[in-house]
Amino acid sequence: MSELSIAALSKELRDAIENLETDKQLDEVGVIIRVGDGVAWIHGLRSAGYSEVLNIETPKGIVEAFALNLLEDEIGAVLLGDDSEVKAGQTVRLKGTVLEVPVGTELLGRVVDPLGRALDGGPAITAKQTGLVEREAIGVMGRKSVFEPLMTGIMSIDAMFPIGRGQRELIIGDRQTGKTAIAIDTMINQAKQNTGVVNVYVAIGQKFSKVARLVERLKTEGVMDQTIIVATSPSDPASLLYLAPYAATAMGEFFRDNSQHALMIYDDLTKHAVAYRQMSLLLRRPPGREAYPGDVFYLHSRLLERSAKLSDDLGGGSLTALPIIETQAGDISAYIPTNVISITDGQIFLETDLFYQGIRPAISAGLSVSRVGGAAQTAAVKSVSSHLKLGLSQFRELASFAQFGSDLDEATKKQIDRGQRLTELLKQHQYQPAAIWEQVVSIAAVSGGYFDSVPSAQIKAAQSALLAKLGTDHKKEMAELDKGGKPDEVMNKLIETTATSVAKGFAG
Amino acid sequence: MPGRLSRRSIARYIANGLIEGTHSKKILLKQLAGYLVETRRTKELELIVRDIEFALVEKGMVQASVISAFDLTAETKKALVAFVKTKMSAAQVNVSHIIHPNVIGGVKITVPGRELDQTIARRLTVLKTRFKKA
């Protein structure tokens, strides 16, 4: 061991001993009367507050817990650490604080647990500030309407269901339908488009192997430097799974409150509700629908209400939330999905059928909606996508009718053809978010009818050719279009001419 | 069948009875035993005793225990009683002294619901936790 580390150790030891000195007061203490399944019941501590941190003294050190059930005769507390050392009869003290986690720029690029402890093998987090895990949401006067776009880079979302900074947009669908993929692409797009938005990804009960793969991918894409990952695995205590989204939101709020923009991804809130149900049942709270406790709505509403666009007086920062919910057999009328749908400002519904038809992202045009994003949509994208959602919904309806017969009038046939081309166009590979100009040009080419002569199967190739041509020959114009302003006549003419000439090469 | 009473209510009833002397100690305990058997709550006996201690503190009667590794001098014992009396604003303090080598050194004063732990054993536990966190 080097001399330097010995000196540092010695100083730390001296500081620790100094800090041990306390004024001679009789501290309030309680005693554990029973413990099991990560829950301890405590006698005493009559002045304990809700969510207050408790220190349980075990022979191997202090184990933290937080008070969740304050009853007349006892307190139910959820353990935050290993419960194997916690036994009946042990002394419990009030820590005097509610839960706090480290916050700040020091967390960028790191993978931490919900208590802010490093999980990536790096040095311990030494943040200058801490944030409250449970914090009241900003009030009405502290907010502003959502007006700035948060581009996902996914054409179908940015064109049909635009998301604004400060919005809560639910991503919902069955397992293996590409929910996390949408969230990851959105994170990647923030780095590719240099938006400066900080990503906070919360893995709730996700396998650590999956989190490791995600970290690798984010590093490869150069996104990790502006990302914080809060990870919990299925083997973690339910208390940590429960705390993860709140702790991560505290980390995101630091950026929001410092006039920056942050994006929260909660992957996923179904597992969060399940962890809370487990805790509630162990705390003997009465079960309600699907055995969830009565306050499961409040569990998610108080979390998502913390995402907001702040007023100019408060710095104008924003916290956007993309919660994820997993449905069973596409049932969005189950308890947790309906709760979160009603809390959020819209949802992106992913359909298994579309996914297996090869339409990826498998976004359902009919069931998805963005309630506030319209005001935040980029003018450039808005100018070409006004009728996109309606057209696509009508196409899917007509297409199912068309299966029964071939006697269709010209107008219907045309609509179906256009719909097929649009469907092909909106297919997008993972990790390839599109820039604003790429989205505008691609959508204009199909919705403007310039690609009408291109067979559906050739649409993606034609799109690539068009983008390559415009990207090389008209770099300056495309850079201008990428700023998001509404394209003028000259720009529209340029897109039309180029798209028509490209289409000739693919005409069927 | 009487409704379920909280332990705190039971404890207050017993403590009041003991202090005010409305019933003899023997009768009070007989009543409590009968209630616990009838309501099948005999398992809560220990907790009820604790709650009675809490209730007695509210009435100014403190049952304290002092744990140390070695026997304390009469002067120290006297000082400790005075300390508890002041801190708890108690009219009456009964202290039981316990010698426990596991505390290594220092002293631990325990009163119902409160504690002053100035033992070496606790300092080591806190130190252990701090270094585990760092």
Side-chain angles (χ1 to χ4, degrees):
Chain A
M1 196 184 282
S2 71
E3 202 180 312
L4 184 71
S5 66
I6 291 170
L9 188 73
S10 157
K11 191 186 170 298
E12 274 178 40
L13 184 61
R14 244 180 282 126
D15 288 346
I17 291 168
E18 273 168 23
N19 289 337
L20 284 179
E21 295 300 331
T22 54
D23 52 341
K24 291 177 182 60
Q25 286 294 329
L26 286 163
D27 299 330
E28 194 174 355
V29 291
V31 67
I32 292 191
I33 48 181
R34 54 184 191 277
V35 64
D37 302 312
V39 172
W41 294 90
I42 297 154
H43 180 271
L45 294 180
R46 287 180 178 179
S47 63
Y50 180 76
S51 200
E52 191 167 350
V53 182
L54 312 175
N55 285 336
I56 301 168
E57 290 174 11
T58 72
K60 287 196 176 169
I62 290 166
V63 174
E64 286 190 339
F66 64 103
L68 271 189
N69 264 23
L70 303 176
L71 305 175
E72 191 178 359
D73 287 328
E74 55 198 17
I75 291 173
V78 178
L79 301 172
L80 291 172
D82 184 17
D83 63 354
S84 59
E85 284 301 315
V86 180
K87 293 189 171 60
Q90 283 168 344
T91 306
V92 188
R93 281 169 207 273
L94 293 174
K95 196 179 177 186
T97 58
V98 286
L99 274 172
E100 286 182 350
V101 282
V103 297
T105 49
E106 295 86 351
L107 285 151
L108 290 173
R110 303 298 303 270
V111 183
V112 294
D113 76 356
L115 300 176
R117 297 176 294 207
L119 290 176
D120 51 8
I125 308 289
T126 49
K128 293 184 195 88
Q129 290 185 48
T130 55
L132 291 175
V133 169
E134 287 274 6
R135 194 176 151 193
E136 219 172 285
I138 294 280
V140 178
M141 298 313 287
R143 291 171 188 251
K144 200 177 175 182
S145 295
V146 171
F147 71 97
E148 301 151 293
L150 185 121
M151 301 294 286
T152 61
I154 299 165
M155 274 196 287
S156 42
I157 295 178
D158 291 340
M160 295 189 286
F161 319 105
I163 300 169
R165 292 185 185 182
Q167 187 176 341
R168 292 89 44 94
E169 182 79 3
L170 170 67
I171 302 172
I172 185 168
D174 279 6
R175 57 184 292 278
Q176 295 292 313
T177 49
K179 301 183 295 297
T180 307
I182 286 180
I184 295 171
D185 277 1
T186 308
M187 287 160 72
I188 292 172
N189 195 49
Q190 305 317 309
K192 286 213 167 146
Q193 309 302 326
N194 219 358
T195 59
V197 174
V198 170
N199 306 308
V200 184
Y201 178 85
V202 196
I204 305 167
Q206 304 275 352
K207 282 181 278 186
F208 273 170
S209 58
K210 191 183 166 189
V211 177
R213 277 203 305 276
L214 170 70
V215 173
E216 276 312 305
R217 170 55 74 170
L218 293 181
K219 279 183 182 165
T220 316
E221 302 286 345
V223 193
M224 200 57 200
D225 292 340
Q226 62 186 74
T227 303
I228 301 170
I229 294 182
V230 179
T232 51
S233 79
S235 62
D236 281 330
S239 56
L240 284 189
L241 270 66
Y242 160 75
L243 283 177
Y246 297 102
T249 306
M251 292 168 191
E253 278 172 336
F254 169 83
F255 298 99
R256 182 197 70 183
D257 297 343
N258 284 288
S259 308
Q260 286 177 273
H261 303 279
L263 167 69
M264 303 294 313
I265 291 159
Y266 303 107
D267 195 1
D268 63 73
L269 290 188
T270 316
K271 286 199 189 78
H272 183 239
V274 168
Y276 187 59
R277 175 171 65 184
Q278 181 186 327
M279 272 170 45
S280 297
L281 292 174
L282 290 168
L283 284 165
R284 309 272 170 90
R285 289 182 179 177
R289 182 175 162 188
E290 293 177 28
Y292 287 105
D295 63 343
V296 76
F297 184 90
Y298 179 56
L299 172 84
H300 290 147
S301 64
R302 73 173 192 268
L303 170 74
L304 293 168
E305 201 59 14
R306 288 163 72 175
S307 296
K309 167 72 190 162
L310 295 193
S311 67
D312 294 336
D313 292 342
L314 293 177
S318 73
L319 191 67
T320 312
L322 294 182
I324 294 175
I325 287 281
E326 187 182 298
T327 52
Q328 303 292 328
D331 180 17
I332 53 170
S333 63
Y335 191 24
I336 303 302
T338 45
N339 275 358
V340 184
I341 285 172
S342 69
I343 295 164
T344 49
D345 307 310
Q347 73 275 349
I348 291 164
F349 182 63
L350 302 173
E351 281 185 54
T352 314
D353 287 350
L354 293 178
F355 188 86
Y356 288 112
Q357 282 167 29
I359 301 168
R360 297 172 197 174
I363 296 169
S364 160
L367 289 173
S368 304
V369 69
S370 173
R371 293 190 193 107
V372 295
Q377 194 171 27
T378 318
V381 181
K382 202 173 198 166
S383 69
V384 293
S385 61
S386 49
H387 302 297
L388 208 60
K389 191 184 172 198
L390 187 67
L392 206 62
S393 300
Q394 282 174 344
F395 155 68
R396 286 194 184 150
E397 214 164 285
L398 285 173
S400 54
F401 269 118
Q403 286 176 347
F404 300 111
S406 56
D407 263 359
L408 297 169
D409 60 276
E410 268 312 301
T412 311
K413 264 186 194 168
K414 206 173 173 187
Q415 206 164 4
I416 290 176
D417 283 349
R418 182 74 59 84
Q420 277 169 342
R421 286 191 186 86
L422 260 181
T423 307
E424 281 304 313
L425 179 84
L426 294 177
K427 285 181 185 173
Q428 207 172 332
H429 287 293
Q430 207 185 343
Y431 312 127
Q432 288 175 14
I436 296 174
W437 75 268
E438 291 174 324
Q439 296 191 23
V440 176
V441 167
S442 307
I443 297 167
V446 174
S447 61
Y450 316 136
F451 274 3
D452 277 359
S453 57
V454 180
S456 313
Q458 293 284 304
I459 283 288
K460 286 312 270 185
Q463 182 200 11
S464 302
L466 174 65
L467 294 178
K469 194 167 171 58
L470 283 170
T472 332
D473 300 347
H474 303 279
K475 215 171 179 176
K476 205 175 152 194
E477 288 89 336
M478 292 306 113
E480 188 56 36
L481 185 58
D482 208 36
K483 287 178 185 165
K486 193 177 174 184
D488 55 14
E489 277 304 307
V490 182
M491 186 70 77
N492 284 334
K493 194 77 197 158
L494 172 69
I495 296 171
E496 185 185 339
T497 338
T498 321
T500 315
S501 78
V502 167
K504 278 177 191 161
F506 291 90
Chain B
M1 178 102 183
R4 188 189 159 91
L5 289 172
S6 71
R7 287 199 297 264
R8 202 182 280 202
S9 315
I10 300 168
R12 276 202 189 124
Y13 172 75
I14 301 291
N16 282 345
L18 286 174
I19 287 174
E20 288 161 15
T22 45
H23 299 287
S24 73
K25 189 175 165 186
K26 202 176 167 186
I27 291 173
L28 279 172
L29 295 183
K30 208 171 177 181
Q31 280 179 348
L32 176 60
Y35 175 76
L36 292 180
V37 170
E38 193 187 335
T39 53
R40 298 179 183 184
R41 292 175 67 181
T42 46
K43 278 183 184 170
E44 292 178 43
L45 186 68
E46 241 178 77
L47 295 170
I48 289 171
V49 171
R50 271 178 198 278
D51 281 321
I52 293 171
E53 281 183 345
F54 273 71
L56 286 172
V57 169
E58 285 170 12
K59 299 276 173 190
M61 194 186 277
V62 177
Q63 195 65 42
S65 68
V66 174
I67 304 170
S68 59
F70 310 98
D71 197 11
L72 302 171
T73 61
E75 216 168 87
T76 315
K77 283 179 184 172
K78 207 176 160 187
L80 286 173
V81 172
F83 173 78
V84 174
K85 221 171 186 174
T86 322
K87 290 287 174 192
M88 300 296 290
S89 315
Q92 193 187 330
V93 177
N94 297 321
V95 179
S96 53
H97 296 274
I98 302 159
I99 294 171
H100 209 310
N102 281 6
V103 299
I104 307 170
V107 69
K108 180 175 169 180
I109 306 166
T110 310
V111 294
R114 291 187 177 276
E115 188 180 273
L116 172 65
D117 197 341
Q118 293 284 310
T119 60
I120 303 290
R122 174 165 156 76
R123 287 180 180 216
L124 287 173
T125 310
V126 174
L127 204 59
K128 206 187 284 178
T129 313
R130 285 195 186 174
F131 277 98
K132 210 188 268 180
K133 273 187 185 171

